[in-house]
Amino acid sequence: MKNLPQKVRSRKLNSKVDLTAMVSVSFLLIIFFMVVGELSKPKGKNLVLPDNDDITCGPTGHIKPNRLYTILLGDNNKIVTYSGILSYPLEIPKNFEFGKKGIREEVFLKKKQIKEYMISVGKPKSGIIVVIKPSSKSNFQNLVDILDEMKIAKIDTYSIVDEFSQEESKLLASN
């Protein structure tokens, strides 16, 4: 018998692919995009404004007018303030300017006066309630500045109201 040449058989390579590294990279990419998506969301605070009927004063209301301090914002950085209710103000309305010696000093003074008054009537936990009323002629920067003043003075209870009474419109126009 003659030796026949044997056929050379090709060696089959292992066809398994190790996907461990691919899975790790996939999970890292998923985590990266989740974090980036969460961090790219705009952050802001919602302002909770009361309904128009929530603040009532006087004999039938729940808030003593002595606690109220209203800040009217007009055009050309004009600020007019009064305490209590405008039809029965506790003091003459005053004009102020923005800044450390202007409205900031007055807000600190009013906060102190109202706190002392509330302590004297036996309600030491009640403090000042500031009502901020920007007119249609005031600019957005004035509103931001007044909100900064509330933060600086540590006023916790304040509200932004966009409705003006006729008396307030006249007061703002006359000053």
Side-chain angles (χ1 to χ4, degrees):
M1 241 178 111
K2 234 178 168 185
N3 275 342
L4 292 172
Q6 290 185 346
K7 288 187 179 178
V8 178
R9 292 193 175 189
S10 63
R11 216 176 189 190
K12 291 192 177 181
L13 296 174
N14 191 0
S15 62
K16 290 184 181 178
V17 178
D18 187 16
L19 294 177
T20 306
M22 184 74 75
V23 170
S24 298
V25 169
S26 299
F27 278 116
L28 286 173
L29 284 172
I30 290 170
I31 292 170
F32 172 76
F33 285 115
M34 286 174 60
V35 170
V36 167
E38 189 63 32
L39 292 178
S40 67
K41 288 181 184 175
K43 302 282 190 259
K45 267 190 168 177
N46 292 331
L47 292 176
V48 179
L49 302 176
D51 292 335
N52 294 335
D53 300 333
D54 281 355
I55 297 179
T56 55
C57 299
T60 61
H62 305 290
I63 299 172
K64 289 185 178 270
N66 298 22
R67 292 179 60 195
L68 287 178
Y69 185 63
T70 304
I71 300 174
L72 305 175
L73 303 176
D75 58 342
N76 298 325
N77 301 327
K78 185 190 300 186
I79 303 173
V80 178
T81 66
Y82 63 90
S83 294
I85 303 170
L86 188 57
S87 46
Y88 305 104
L90 300 176
E91 60 186 27
I92 300 170
K94 299 177 187 176
N95 294 329
F96 290 98
E97 305 220 353
F98 286 98
K100 193 173 186 177
K101 294 291 181 187
I103 190 68
R104 184 177 305 166
E105 194 173 274
E106 179 67 13
V107 168
F108 274 113
L109 178 67
K110 280 294 168 196
K111 180 181 175 184
K112 181 181 174 191
Q113 287 174 348
I114 291 172
K115 188 69 174 172
E116 289 171 357
Y117 169 77
M118 295 310 290
I119 289 171
S120 70
V121 295
K123 295 189 177 185
K125 293 188 178 185
S126 299
I128 187 171
I129 299 173
V130 178
V131 180
I132 302 168
K133 293 188 175 187
S135 71
S136 58
K137 295 179 183 177
S138 69
N139 58 33
F140 186 71
Q141 183 62 43
N142 289 350
L143 181 60
V144 171
D145 290 343
I146 246 348
L147 291 175
D148 286 343
E149 297 298 339
M150 296 299 109
K151 179 85 172 165
I152 291 168
K154 297 180 181 168
I155 306 274
D156 296 328
T157 310
Y158 60 88
S159 176
I160 302 168
V161 179
D162 59 354
E163 293 182 16
F164 271 75
S165 67
Q166 289 179 346
E167 297 154 337
E168 289 170 334
S169 297
K170 288 177 186 175
L171 177 65
L172 202 55
S174 68
N175 288 330

